[in-house]
Amino acid sequence: MQLLTVSQLNMYLRDLLDADDLLRDVWVEGEISSFSRHFSGHCYFTLKEGEAQIGAVMWKSVAARLAALPANGEAVLAHGRVAFYEVRGQVQLYVDTLRPAGIGLLQAQFERLKERLAAEGLFDPSRKRPLPLLPHRIGIVTSPTGAALQDVLNILRRRYPLAEIVFAPCRVQGAGAAETIINALYALYETNVDVIIVARGGGGAEDLWTFNDEQVARAVFASPVPVVSGVGHETDTTLIDFVADVRAPTPSAAAELVSPDIVALTDDIAHMRNRLEAAMTQRLANARETIDRLKLRLSLRSPESRIRRDRQHIDELLRRATSTLERRLILARTRLDGARGRLEALSPLATLARGYAIVQSPTGTLITEAAQVAPDDRIEIIVRRGRFHAHVE
Amino acid sequence: MTQTNERSPGEEYETLYSRLQQIVEQLETGDLPLALALALYEEGVATAEACQRLLDHAALRVRTLMDGGDQSLAMTETDE
């Protein structure tokens, strides 16, 4: 038998426990009781199961990673190491991870909260607002260090660099994160953003727990502008997804939803230019047509055409007059020729041509009987060519 | 509270774009006097070019609100 001091015994027990592999890495299921948070931030509680219990310690750093501090009566799964606390001679569980046990009380609480908020109308489809077509200012609520922010900015830079981004940083997990999200949201409400994206990259269900916070949901509900939630991955659904005006499966998808595509915008401008050209071409064609029509009407009424028409009329009249005259001339000439023929047949000259002569007195009296002359009378004899005087014997 | 009164590129774009839309519709539907049509057309072309310039030269601007529950909310500008 050996005599030990208390310190020696405790040291022995400590070494004994430390040497055990199982106790260094153990999951313990139980119910929280006597939970207390020291002003240092460290948490102390008891894990109970029926009559059995074990003291547990959760350091401040571990507690800070939790979405919410556990409450007494909550069923949890605690992970950590079992060690001997020599000062008080107690065996304790040093918790480094704490999760709701099974579907857990938290999940049940969440379902109850969801039902309550649904009944209040927070998820009412009729209050969902459409996203602005061309948001001028886009608010983003997310962690300054997370990938979600860069994802969102990259998409917006590529798709819609005309936007102005107002970034409201917050913490997206751990104790107090909900409060920073609410503050970030209300800070954005005081600015003139047109739409707000609440984003957080994927993570375990407990990492997204902050977005199931009732006050966060109410803060989103209070937004004066449409809110797009882009929290987690496709399959994760949190409370704010129900409250938000539009739910996007990822932060990148949220950014795409709020931004028009610059390629589409460029196409649209080109299309407008084409319409502009076409409309102007049409207008010019119309103008040209009108001018042509007017020119035609003008030329029809111009004095020149009147003169041309009159001149044509005069020409026609003149032609008709000429031809009439010509016909009459021909007729007259024919008649004249006939008359001349007849005249020539009757002409004394024709008789003369046949060798007869005309005898007349110097006074021109035609002598047709011998009794008209006496001897020594002078007479004039006309023959076919010429005339001469003679003495009657 | 911090409110910017200057027009953002997005606002400018939207204003120009709706003016462009208006001009195109007016040219397409109205039997405008030719002088007015020509003036509108020239304005339309210039407006379309201004829109395109905005799209071509836009660079995303990011303002960051101060972190945490700080009610004074000073603004910081970051050139992205």
Side-chain angles (χ1 to χ4, degrees):
Chain A
M1 180 73 70
Q2 217 178 341
L3 178 66
L4 296 175
T5 64
V6 176
S7 310
Q8 284 169 332
L9 175 62
N10 283 4
M11 267 167 69
Y12 180 81
L13 287 170
R14 183 195 68 190
D15 291 345
L16 199 63
L17 293 181
D18 281 352
D20 190 283
D21 281 345
L22 173 73
L23 297 180
R24 268 206 295 269
D25 176 18
V26 67
W27 281 102
V28 183
E29 188 174 2
E31 196 177 281
I32 303 247
S33 78
S34 315
F35 186 89
S36 76
R37 189 174 184 202
H38 196 253
F39 68 85
S40 63
H42 307 316
C43 301
Y44 302 92
F45 53 93
T46 306
L47 272 182
K48 275 171 54 175
E49 188 226 350
E51 295 295 301
Q53 62 178 50
I54 186 170
V57 181
M58 185 165 61
W59 304 126
K60 180 186 174 185
S61 59
V62 176
R65 287 205 307 271
L66 293 178
L69 290 177
N72 289 331
E74 247 173 63
V76 293
L77 271 176
H79 177 270
R81 108 191 130 82
V82 176
F84 192 77
Y85 183 44
E86 297 157 67
V87 179
R88 291 173 64 180
Q90 277 181 352
V91 175
Q92 287 186 323
L93 177 66
Y94 292 83
V95 176
D96 56 27
T97 308
L98 193 68
R99 285 190 186 164
I103 181 166
L105 207 57
L106 269 177
Q107 190 63 35
Q109 278 175 348
F110 168 71
E111 292 301 335
R112 274 204 302 281
L113 175 59
K114 202 175 115 187
E115 276 167 34
R116 189 153 52 81
L117 296 184
E120 266 185 58
L122 263 70
F123 313 151
D124 199 343
S126 67
R127 65 162 296 277
K128 307 279 184 199
R129 291 160 290 195
L131 299 180
L133 289 177
L134 288 175
H136 306 139
R137 296 183 181 83
I138 301 171
I140 303 175
V141 175
T142 191
S143 156
T145 53
L149 178 63
Q150 289 316 315
D151 289 350
V152 168
L153 290 180
N154 285 340
I155 299 270
L156 293 178
R157 196 172 287 125
R158 178 163 58 73
R159 282 175 62 92
Y160 190 56
L162 288 177
E164 277 185 354
I165 308 304
V166 182
F167 171 49
C170 65
R171 275 183 288 139
V172 291
Q173 69 184 72
E179 199 179 308
T180 68
I181 293 173
I182 293 163
N183 284 341
L185 281 168
Y186 277 100
L188 277 181
Y189 298 165
E190 298 293 332
T191 68
N192 49 2
V193 293
D194 304 304
V195 63
I196 293 172
I197 295 174
V198 179
R200 191 230 190 278
E206 66 271 24
D207 293 333
L208 300 178
W209 210 255
T210 310
F211 295 92
N212 288 327
D213 183 277
E214 177 175 355
Q215 296 315 315
V216 171
R218 290 191 185 281
V220 169
F221 184 73
S223 174
V225 295
V227 176
V228 180
S229 69
V231 174
H233 290 316
E234 279 81 351
T235 51
D236 302 324
T237 307
T238 60
L239 208 49
I240 77 154
D241 289 326
F242 295 107
V243 190
D245 296 270
V246 177
R247 189 226 162 177
T250 61
S252 298
E256 292 203 4
L257 279 175
V258 301
S259 58
D261 190 350
I262 196 165
V263 175
L265 292 179
T266 304
D267 284 353
D268 206 16
I269 294 295
H271 176 64
M272 289 294 236
R273 274 203 72 145
N274 287 343
R275 279 173 64 187
L276 200 60
E277 300 284 348
M280 194 59 216
T281 308
Q282 185 59 47
R283 181 64 191 84
L284 282 175
N286 287 351
R288 221 167 272 132
E289 207 176 292
T290 307
I291 295 294
D292 287 350
R293 223 170 25 242
L294 286 175
K295 261 163 73 182
L296 184 66
R297 283 169 61 188
L298 192 63
S299 72
L300 288 176
R301 278 158 186 73
S302 85
E304 199 187 330
S305 85
R306 173 79 189 272
I307 288 169
R308 211 182 300 124
R309 210 165 52 235
D310 286 0
R311 190 174 287 146
Q312 207 176 344
H313 191 55
I314 289 167
D315 286 352
E316 172 68 19
L317 286 176
L318 209 57
R319 200 164 54 245
R320 278 166 58 193
T322 308
S323 75
T324 307
L325 208 60
E326 274 173 355
R327 267 200 316 280
R328 292 184 64 170
L329 270 175
I330 289 166
L331 191 66
R333 199 169 284 131
T334 312
R335 275 192 195 144
L336 187 60
D337 287 350
R340 189 179 285 145
R342 282 201 308 282
L343 193 63
E344 272 174 10
L346 294 173
S347 167
L349 292 177
T351 314
L352 291 179
R354 289 201 299 273
Y356 295 91
I358 294 169
V359 181
Q360 61 184 23
S361 72
T363 58
T365 309
L366 202 62
I367 297 168
T368 54
E369 293 171 29
Q372 283 178 279
V373 290
D376 278 338
D377 278 355
R378 286 180 67 89
I379 55 173
E380 194 174 31
I381 297 164
I382 300 166
V383 292
R384 183 180 158 219
R385 284 205 186 89
R387 59 182 62 197
F388 57 88
H389 299 278
H391 284 278
V392 180
E393 284 196 4
Chain B
M1 195 46 63
T2 327
Q3 296 273 346
T4 27
N5 288 323
E6 80 181 83
R7 275 155 38 106
S8 73
E11 275 166 328
E12 206 177 327
Y13 180 83
E14 191 168 38
T15 308
L16 286 171
Y17 185 78
S18 45
R19 177 66 187 140
L20 177 59
Q21 229 169 1
Q22 198 182 16
I23 290 170
V24 169
E25 273 159 25
Q26 235 178 317
L27 263 179
E28 278 176 343
T29 56
D31 192 14
L32 302 166
L34 191 60
L36 183 55
L38 270 169
L40 271 178
Y41 172 74
E42 276 171 19
E43 192 192 339
V45 170
T47 309
E49 274 165 13
C51 281
Q52 194 58 55
R53 253 198 318 280
L54 270 176
L55 291 181
D56 291 345
H57 300 297
L60 198 68
R61 286 198 280 173
V62 182
R63 275 191 295 157
T64 305
L65 302 178
M66 289 302 270
D67 200 355
D70 181 2
Q71 293 306 305
S72 69
L73 282 172
M75 292 281 193
T76 57
E77 295 273 347
T78 27
D79 261 334
E80 280 286 334

